């Protein structure tokens, strides 16, 4: 046996002993959140948590800044590095100055969700009801109350991504 073959055999034996010590499983990320409904629910819950954080910041007179990791070019070195940078954040609510009422529209992507036929908006008496209402919506989503609405919104959005085979 040549030197190269012995080195390769030794490396394979070392790898086998390391792998045999590890706890291997068939779990994948997609199995963690099993159903499509659960994945959509999880995505909506994360978005609602951001909206709640923004509403609480507004309530306390603070500025809410959504941040995300992005690769940017460092001005000094010219190197691309990963940094947390501010990104665009759109509030799902607004207040009508004429009557003082606050309105909420839940969104999937950039489209409002129809919570009832032709009714995508939730009306509140004033802005003080915003955080408790968003928390109630969060609980309803967690309980799966709007799964069918989310699935239909996903299907509707997917229609825009269909390729023409012409």
């Amino acid at each position: 046996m040549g030197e190269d073959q012995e080195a390769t055999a030794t490396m394979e034996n070392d790898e086998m002993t390391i792998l045999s010590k590890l706890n291997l499983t068939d779990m994948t990320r997609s199995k963690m959140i099993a159903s499509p409904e659960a994945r959509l629910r999880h995505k909506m819950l994360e978005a609602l948590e951001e909206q709640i954080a923004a509403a609480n910041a507004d309530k306390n007179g603070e500025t809410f800044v959504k941040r995300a990791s992005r690769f940017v070019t460092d001005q000094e070195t010219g190197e691309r590095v990963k940094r947390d940078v501010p990104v665009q954040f759109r509030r799902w609510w607004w207040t009508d100055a004429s009557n003082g009422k606050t309105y909420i529209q839940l969104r999937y992507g950039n489209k409002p969700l129809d919570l009832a036929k032709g009714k995508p908006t939730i009306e509140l008496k004033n802005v003080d009801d915003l955080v408790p209402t968003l928390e109630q919506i969060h609980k309803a989503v967690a309980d799966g109350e709007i799964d069918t609405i989310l699935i239909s919104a996903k299907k509707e959005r997917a229609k825009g991504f269909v390729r023409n085979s012409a």
Side-chain angles (χ1 to χ4, degrees):
M1 199 185 270
E3 257 181 60
D4 291 337
Q5 289 177 337
E6 284 181 27
T8 304
T10 304
M11 284 175 47
E12 286 176 1
N13 288 340
D14 288 344
E15 288 176 17
M16 294 303 285
T17 57
I18 293 171
L19 287 177
S20 62
K21 293 176 184 177
L22 299 176
N23 184 18
L24 302 176
T25 179
D26 66 342
M27 180 58 74
T28 61
R29 275 188 189 207
S30 60
K31 287 183 182 178
M32 296 278 295
I33 303 175
S35 68
E37 295 87 4
R39 282 194 289 275
L40 285 171
R41 194 177 314 134
H42 180 72
K43 183 177 179 179
M44 178 59 80
L45 289 172
E46 285 181 344
L48 278 166
E49 287 164 7
E50 280 181 350
Q51 296 294 323
I52 291 169
N56 279 324
D58 284 359
K59 184 177 170 183
N60 297 332
E62 300 167 358
T63 303
F64 178 79
V65 179
K66 180 180 177 181
R67 301 186 75 78
S69 293
R70 299 283 191 264
F71 281 98
V72 294
T73 305
D74 191 321
Q75 297 296 334
E76 297 169 11
T77 63
E79 192 176 327
R80 294 202 30 91
V81 291
K82 193 173 193 176
R83 294 229 171 95
D84 274 353
V85 296
V87 293
Q88 183 179 16
F89 175 76
R90 292 194 178 171
R91 285 166 172 72
W92 290 354
W93 73 89
W94 68 95
T95 301
D96 186 352
S98 65
N99 61 15
K101 292 184 179 181
T102 299
Y103 300 92
I104 303 172
Q105 275 188 340
L106 302 185
R107 303 181 80 77
Y108 182 80
N110 62 351
K111 302 263 190 280
L113 292 175
D114 263 351
L115 301 174
K117 186 97 172 134
K119 297 187 179 187
T121 309
I122 301 167
E123 181 181 304
L124 308 175
K125 291 179 184 172
N126 56 41
V127 76
D128 296 333
D129 296 338
L130 181 61
V131 174
T133 303
L134 286 171
E135 288 171 347
Q136 285 178 335
I137 295 167
H138 186 278
K139 183 171 177 10
V141 170
D143 292 343
E145 289 183 30
I146 68 166
D147 283 355
T148 54
I149 296 169
L150 288 172
I151 290 171
S152 65
K154 180 182 178 185
K155 287 179 183 174
E156 193 64 33
R157 186 161 191 249
K159 288 179 185 176
F161 295 108
V162 175
R163 283 189 179 183
N164 294 335
S165 58

